[in-house]
Amino acid sequence: MEGIASLAGKLAESPRFKGRVLPGEPLAPRTTMRVGGAATVLVVPDDAESAVYAACAARRAGLPLFILGGGSNVIVDDGGLDALVISLERLDAISCKDGLLTAGAGATFDGITEFCAAHCLKGLSSFAGLPGTAGGAAYMNARCYGVSASDLLESVSYVNLDEIKEEKNGPDDFALANLTKVYHNSVDEWAYKKSPFQSFRSLILSVVFRVEAVGMSGDNERAIRLENEGFREDRRNKGHFRAPSAGSVFKNDRRFGKPSGQLIDEAGLKGLVVGGAQIAPWHGNFIINTGSATAGDIKALVERARTAVMERTGFTLETEIIFV
């Protein structure tokens, strides 16, 4: 798209943007499923100010925009994304003060749980091994071993992109300080795999989690590392890392009485192959890339599973993964 290419040129030349501007950048390597085409333009801001500047510039110009976190829950279309894609991978700073851990939106949970171990902080071990980011966890209200992100979340710094109106000839005055808001957790605004940030187009910049400082000592550090590794080992034993995947494909619905993976298994679909994609032989709620999968293959398997479960039980499975 000509408008996106033009904006990319302006970002590359602007003193207000620090980071990389990458036209035609493949997106498959930036997702855990390893499928999909290229972005018209991918930008990788070095800091929050640059991320806000790029996002607001796209919104002002009326151009399509997509925010990419860890790519762990995203299936990119085989034709790619005709959009300005902003990767938040460089927004990965982590700090802690008075029991509040602040993580940039692009901070991975491997990085966060390592920081917790090194600083003797308890509370986030159930997220060890989760192939996602702090921003993604807040957006999706990630849930691991019975603990949701919202259970531990204190606040989120974000920009409401819906409030940035198209103004192609408007002044270049969008500033981080004027646009950034802080959301303070309100329990009644969250639900299973639902967050308030899904109700509008948001750019999450950082997330604050509550943790418990247990005192710096070798014994405490070893205990936290052991707890972290226990959750990683459980994920390994369940086959989370045997092949590229996007984790759980369907949400679990308590009304169905059984986990989605069990419903798919009982429909006889474990191991089903379409092209290079397969419903994992070891877990009915995983679709894996056996080496040559396309987004189309994955969509076909999703529909096969949804139809089979509906015909057998009357239940409609809801996807957790996002097709873009």
Side-chain angles (χ1 to χ4, degrees):
M1 182 182 288
E2 183 178 348
I4 297 174
S6 176
L7 175 60
K10 292 178 181 178
L11 290 174
E13 295 172 0
S14 173
R16 298 192 61 183
F17 178 82
K18 296 181 179 66
R20 292 181 293 162
V21 178
L22 305 170
E25 182 72 4
L27 293 177
R30 295 175 177 272
T31 72
T32 57
M33 187 61 93
R34 300 293 191 263
V35 302
T40 301
V41 174
L42 176 77
V43 297
V44 186
D46 285 345
D47 51 39
E49 290 85 350
S50 296
V52 172
Y53 182 78
C56 290
R59 292 288 294 153
R60 286 281 183 92
L63 297 172
L65 172 68
F66 182 76
I67 309 299
L68 180 66
S72 61
N73 222 35
V74 174
I75 309 298
V76 176
D77 188 81
D78 296 316
L81 275 178
D82 193 10
L84 184 78
V85 179
I86 300 178
S87 168
L88 301 180
E89 63 190 64
R90 301 274 299 166
L91 276 62
D92 60 352
I94 305 169
S95 62
C96 187
K97 183 178 181 180
D98 298 331
L100 296 176
L101 182 147
T102 301
T108 67
F109 275 97
D110 279 346
I112 291 169
T113 51
E114 169 59 28
F115 180 95
C116 286
H119 294 82
C120 296
L121 304 171
K122 295 193 60 155
L124 290 171
S125 288
S126 63
F127 290 86
L130 179 71
T133 60
Y139 182 83
M140 295 298 298
N141 194 17
R143 184 173 177 83
C144 299
Y145 299 95
V147 179
S148 294
S150 56
D151 297 332
L152 303 169
L153 188 145
E154 178 73 14
S155 62
V156 178
S157 294
Y158 72 99
V159 173
N160 184 339
L161 296 175
D162 284 341
E163 295 179 351
I164 310 302
K165 304 303 181 184
E166 184 173 338
E167 193 176 353
K168 294 183 179 180
N169 297 316
D172 189 23
D173 63 355
F174 31 88
L176 178 67
N178 298 335
L179 295 171
T180 302
K181 300 180 179 182
V182 178
Y183 167 85
H184 295 281
N185 195 356
S186 178
V187 176
D188 59 359
E189 295 179 335
W190 301 76
Y192 171 70
K193 300 295 176 72
K194 297 287 187 182
S195 82
F197 301 99
Q198 295 173 18
S199 63
F200 59 92
R201 281 172 288 191
S202 58
L203 169 59
I204 293 175
L205 299 172
S206 64
V207 182
V208 178
F209 295 104
R210 294 184 298 275
V211 293
E212 178 188 359
V214 294
M216 294 293 293
S217 75
D219 287 344
N220 286 338
E221 180 177 347
R222 282 189 290 273
I224 294 170
R225 289 190 186 282
L226 185 63
E227 187 175 14
N228 291 348
E229 183 54 30
F231 285 106
R232 291 193 189 95
E233 181 63 20
D234 188 66
R235 292 179 192 275
R236 283 192 288 268
N237 291 339
K238 291 177 177 176
H240 287 213
F241 310 127
R242 292 183 197 175
S245 79
S248 296
V249 175
F250 298 102
K251 298 177 182 179
N252 290 321
D253 192 324
R254 293 177 183 175
R255 295 174 300 175
F256 300 170
K258 298 177 181 178
S260 296
Q262 185 176 346
L263 295 175
I264 294 167
D265 185 13
E266 291 175 353
L269 297 183
K270 277 204 303 191
L272 179 66
V273 174
V274 172
Q278 181 182 33
I279 296 178
W282 59 87
H283 196 307
N285 203 16
F286 284 178
I287 291 177
I288 61 172
N289 181 351
T290 63
S292 60
T294 66
D297 296 339
I298 295 162
K299 284 183 180 179
L301 278 179
V302 165
E303 291 309 315
R304 290 278 294 273
R306 183 182 277 133
T307 299
V309 170
M310 166 60 80
E311 290 176 348
R312 190 173 187 276
T313 67
F315 300 139
T316 300
L317 296 175
E318 181 184 356
T319 54
E320 179 176 334
I321 57 175
I322 299 171
F323 289 92
V324 296

